[in-house]
Amino acid sequence: MPSVHEETVDQKLSAVPDDLGRFGRFGGRYVPETLSAALDQLEKAYEEAIADPEFNSELEGLFAAFVGRPTPLLFARRLTEKAGGAQIYFKREDLSHTGAHKINNTLGQALLAIRMGKQRIIAETGAGQHGVATATACARFGLECVVYMGSEDVRRQSPNVRTMKLMGAEVRPVESGSRTLRDAINEAMRDWMASVETTHYIIGSVVGPHPFPRIVRDFQSIIGRETIDCCKSLFGRLPDTVVACVGGGSNAAGMFYPFVDHPDVRLVGVEAGGRSGGDGEHAAPLTYGTPGILHGSLSYVLQDADGQTADVHSVSAGLDYPGVGPEHSFWRDSGRVDYTSVTDAAALDAFDMVAQQEGVLPALETSHALAWAVEAASKMRPEEILVVCMSGRGDKDAAEIARLRGHE
Amino acid sequence: MAAKEGKRKTGIELLEDAFALCKTESRRAVAPFVTAGDPDSESTSAILKSIYEAGATCCELGVPYSDPIADGPVIQSSYTRALNAGMTLTKMFDVVATFSKSHSMPLLAMASYSLIFRNGIETFVKRGEASGLAGFVVPDLPLEESDELDTQCRRAGLALVRLVTPTTPPERAREIARRSTGFLYCVSVAGVTGERTALPENLVERIQWLREESDVPILVGFGISTADQAREVAAVADGVIVGSAVVRCVEKAQEGTSMPDAVGNFVRELVEACRLN
C-alpha cells in the first residue's frame, strides 16, 4: 500500500506549480506589496477564464483564424542529409502571425485583461517579438499599449520597433543599466507599480512572480500539444528528442510541458553561450548560475556573491537575460530536461546553414537550438526523430547580422 | 541609551526607546533614508552622524541593489552610483558597526530580498545583528514568502518592518499590521519611491483605520519631500519616512564638502515640522 509520502514522490512532473506558485523550490512571488492584490486578481481571473468554455473557444478561434494555428511540422530534408543522422523536423512557430510563438501568450493575456476590466497594457521586450505580439493583440482588441525596450535592443532590432509603432503602440526606450531586456522588465514593473489598478502587465516569458510563469507556460503549451498530435499522426509515435532555445524560456516551456510526463522523450534546452563561459560573456544561468531571486521569482540567476545581478552577453537580444523561468530550474534540478549552451559563433553558423539548406530564415534565438540540433542529429540513428522548436523568424536579425559581419 | 548592565539592547528595544523618547518630547518620529555608499562609505558615515545630530529618530539605510523595482529614478541612480563606486554588503555592515558603537539612533537596512536570499537568510540576519543593526525593511518580500526571515529576525530581536500600501485589501492589511515589528510602514501612494507634490486625499482615513489595527507605531513613507508635507502627515501618523528628497539632497551637495551639513539641515527642518504643539 503506497504511503502518502510515496504518492508525493510519484507525483507527475506536470503537477506544478502549487498554490504559492512553487515549481519544487523555485518560483514564488517576491514583489512589492503594491502588486500583491493585482497578482491575486490575475490568478483568480485566470482560474475563472480557463474554466469558462467561452474563453477557451474564443482563444481557439483566434489561434486558428488570427495566428494561423496549427503550425506545421516541416521535415528539414537537406539539413538532415547534411547532418547524416536523425531526421530533423521544425515545429514552425515562425509561421505564426507576427513571426514567432509570442502571439500565443499575448492573445491569451489580452483576453484576461479585458475580463479584468483593464484597458491599458504594458509589456517589456528584448528581441521585439513579444513587443510586436503585444502591440498586435492590443490593436486587435482596441487596448492602449506601451512597450518598454532597452535602447541597445531598440538599436539592434529596429524592424520590430517600426512594426510596434505601426500597430499603434508606444515604444519607450530604457536607458538604465545594460539597456537590454532585464532593464526593460525593471521599467515595466515600475510602471505597473503606479498603474496597477487600470493596467495589465503582459509579461513575455515564463518569468516573473506567480502566476505569470504558469499562465505563460499554459498559453504556450499549444506548441507541445500540437507537436504531440502531429508526431502521432505522422509517425504513430512521439519524437525521440525535442530541442528549444531558452532565454526566459517561454517557447521551450510551451514545447516541453506537454512532454514532461513522457519520460522516453529527451528534452534539451539551449542557452546563450555568448563569447565564452567567462563572467559577463554569456547569458546562460542554468549552465553557470546559482539559485537567486530576480524579477519576482526564485530561479537560477547570474549574480555575484552579494546578489547583484551580473552583466550578460548574447548576440541574440531575446536570450540576453540573466535569469530564466522557475519551471526550467525545476526541470534542471529534477534532471527531466538537459540544459546546455551554444556560442554566438555557432548560432550564427547555424543561421546561415538553415537559411541556405532549408530556405528558412530562423531568428538568432532559434539558431542556438538549431546549432545544437544539427550537431546532435549527426550522432543519432537515421530512424530517430528530432524536433526543433522553430520559435521565430529571422528577418528582424538580417541587418544586425550584416553589421556584425562588417558589411552594413 | 547605550548598552548598560552588560547586555546589549535588541534592535526592537532600541526602536521602542527611540519612539518612547519622541513621545516624551512631544514630537513625531522622523526616519530619513540614506543610500549606503552614495557616494562612498566615508560620506555615508558622516551623513549618518549629521542626521543623528539633527534629531532623527531612526534611519533607513538603503542597501544598493542592481535591479530595484520598487524604486523611482532618484533612489535607483543613488544605487547605481554606490555600486559603481564599489559598495558591497561587507562595507555596508562596516558602516553600521562603526556608527552603532557610538550612537543610539537605530539603523534599519532597506534591502532587496534578492540580496538577503543570496547571502543566506540566517547569515544575513546574523551579520546584521553583529553589526548592531536594529532591523530590516524588505520592500520586495510579501507576507507569504516571509516566514523564514521572520523567524530569524525574532530570534535575533531585530525588527522586520512590513509595508501596507493603498492597494492592500483590509483583511490583508490587518494581517500585515499584526506581524510587523518595530513599526509599520504605511506606503502613501501606489507607485515607486519618489517625491510628489501632493499627498493622496484618503491618506488620513487610511492611517486612522490602521491605527486601530496596529500595536506598533505607524510611519508613513513614499512621496513625502517637504517639511510642510511632513507636518501634515505628523498630525495623524507616528512619524514620517523621507527617502528620495534626502537622497537628492546628497546628490546636489556632492560637488562641495558641505554634504553632511546640507542633509543635516534638511532633516532638522523635518524634525521641527514634526513637533506637536
Side-chain angles (χ1 to χ4, degrees), chain A residues 20 22 25 27-37 40 176 182-183 185-187 189-191 193-197 290-296 298 303-310, chain B residues 64-72 76 83 87-90 113-119 127 139-145 163-169 172 176 187 189-192 222:
Chain A
L20 288 175
R22 294 277 165 194
R25 61 185 288 216
R29 183 186 286 177
Y30 301 91
V31 291
E33 174 58 23
T34 299
L35 300 180
S36 284
D40 282 342
S176 59
R182 156 191 161 200
D183 311 288
I185 295 179
N186 286 341
E187 261 339 285
M189 291 263 189
R190 287 179 190 125
D191 180 313
M193 288 278 287
S195 62
V196 66
E197 279 157 302
T290 46
I293 291 160
L294 178 66
H295 295 143
L298 171 57
Q303 54 182 194
D304 72 9
D306 269 4
Q308 308 294 352
T309 310
Chain B
Y65 174 50
S66 53
D67 298 79
I69 54 173
D71 285 303
Q76 253 185 77
L83 290 173
M87 195 59 188
T88 61
L89 289 177
T90 301
Y113 196 60
S114 301
L115 305 177
I116 298 174
F117 182 87
R118 172 65 168 147
N119 247 252
R127 290 177 83 178
D140 51 4
L141 185 70
L143 209 54
E144 294 77 10
E145 307 283 2
L163 299 92
V164 170
T165 74
T167 58
T168 310
R172 188 178 166 85
I176 292 172
V187 176
V189 290
V192 293
F222 280 45

Side-chain angles (χ1 to χ4, degrees), chain A residues 96-119:
Chain A
S96 299
H97 181 39
T98 70
H101 67 290
K102 295 290 186 186
I103 190 83
N104 301 329
N105 169 47
T106 60
L107 288 172
Q109 287 205 50
L111 289 179
L112 282 179
I114 294 166
R115 284 178 80 97
M116 292 186 291
K118 293 182 172 178
Q119 291 292 312

Side-chain angles (χ1 to χ4, degrees), chain A residues 125-140:
Chain A
T125 197
Q129 290 301 123
H130 175 59
V132 167
T134 305
T136 302
C138 289
R140 170 86 196 165

Side-chain angles (χ1 to χ4, degrees), chain A residues 253-305:
Chain A
M255 178 55 114
F256 295 165
Y257 182 66
F259 282 103
V260 292
D261 292 331
H262 298 280
D264 294 342
V265 181
R266 184 184 182 203
L267 304 173
V268 180
V270 183
E271 296 192 297
R275 290 181 286 252
S276 76
D279 291 348
E281 294 284 291
H282 58 81
L286 292 164
T287 310
Y288 301 106
T290 46
I293 291 160
L294 178 66
H295 295 143
S297 65
L298 171 57
S299 195
Y300 278 86
V301 183
L302 292 165
Q303 54 182 194
D304 72 9

Side-chain angles (χ1 to χ4, degrees), chain B:
Chain B
M1 251 188 311
K4 284 175 192 166
E5 308 146 18
K7 187 169 177 272
R8 200 167 78 170
K9 292 200 172 193
T10 66
I12 291 178
E13 287 166 346
L14 286 174
L15 283 163
E16 284 168 355
D17 287 352
F19 290 120
L21 186 66
C22 283
K23 208 163 216 177
T24 315
E25 294 179 351
S26 218
R27 55 192 178 84
R28 302 299 198 197
V30 172
F33 170 101
V34 174
T35 294
D38 173 30
D40 50 52
S41 289
E42 294 69 31
S43 306
T44 303
S45 297
I47 291 167
L48 287 176
K49 200 159 171 285
S50 71
I51 284 176
Y52 168 76
E53 283 161 3
T57 314
C58 57
C59 177
E60 266 187 72
L61 200 54
V63 185
Y65 174 50
S66 53
D67 298 79
I69 54 173
D71 285 303
V74 172
I75 291 179
Q76 253 185 77
S77 312
S78 74
Y79 281 0
T80 307
R81 281 195 299 273
L83 290 173
N84 287 345
M87 195 59 188
T88 61
L89 289 177
T90 301
K91 288 183 187 172
M92 187 275 295
F93 284 124
D94 285 348
V95 168
V96 174
T98 308
F99 181 82
S100 62
K101 229 176 269 170
S102 47
H103 300 84
S104 58
M105 181 177 77
L107 299 180
L108 296 124
M110 170 84 120
S112 166
Y113 196 60
S114 301
L115 305 177
I116 298 174
F117 182 87
R118 172 65 168 147
N119 247 252
I121 296 156
E122 190 178 350
T123 307
F124 198 87
V125 173
K126 281 188 171 154
R127 290 177 83 178
E129 188 185 10
S131 69
L133 211 55
F136 302 98
V137 185
V138 189
D140 51 4
L141 185 70
L143 209 54
E144 294 77 10
E145 307 283 2
S146 66
D147 286 352
E148 200 178 342
L149 182 60
D150 193 65
T151 306
Q152 292 299 331
C153 285
R154 281 176 198 278
R155 181 200 54 72
L158 300 189
L160 179 55
V161 173
R162 296 171 186 272
L163 299 92
V164 170
T165 74
T167 58
T168 310
E171 264 314 299
R172 188 178 166 85
R174 211 168 265 142
E175 179 69 8
I176 292 172
R178 195 181 64 74
R179 293 183 59 181
S180 196
T181 50
F183 60 87
L184 177 65
Y185 193 136
C186 175
V187 176
S188 66
V189 290
V192 293
T193 55
E195 299 142 279
R196 287 163 179 87
T197 48
L199 293 168
E201 285 170 16
N202 64 349
L203 184 61
V204 172
E205 292 92 86
R206 280 182 54 227
I207 296 165
Q208 281 165 344
W209 181 84
L210 277 172
R211 162 94 359 277
E212 303 291 310
E213 304 294 332
S214 175
D215 296 330
V216 290
I218 297 169
L219 270 62
V220 178
F222 280 45
I224 301 171
S225 54
T226 64
D228 283 342
Q229 287 174 329
R231 186 177 297 115
E232 210 180 307
V233 172
V236 283
D238 298 304
V240 296
I241 299 163
V242 182
S244 295
V246 173
V247 171
R248 208 161 47 83
C249 212
V250 172
E251 193 183 321
K252 273 168 63 183
Q254 230 157 53
E255 308 299 316
T257 50
S258 60
M259 184 198 309
D261 291 343
V263 179
N265 289 339
F266 179 50
V267 172
R268 199 162 286 120
E269 268 179 53
L270 296 170
V271 170
E272 286 308 314
C274 290
R275 278 189 199 287
L276 301 170
N277 297 313

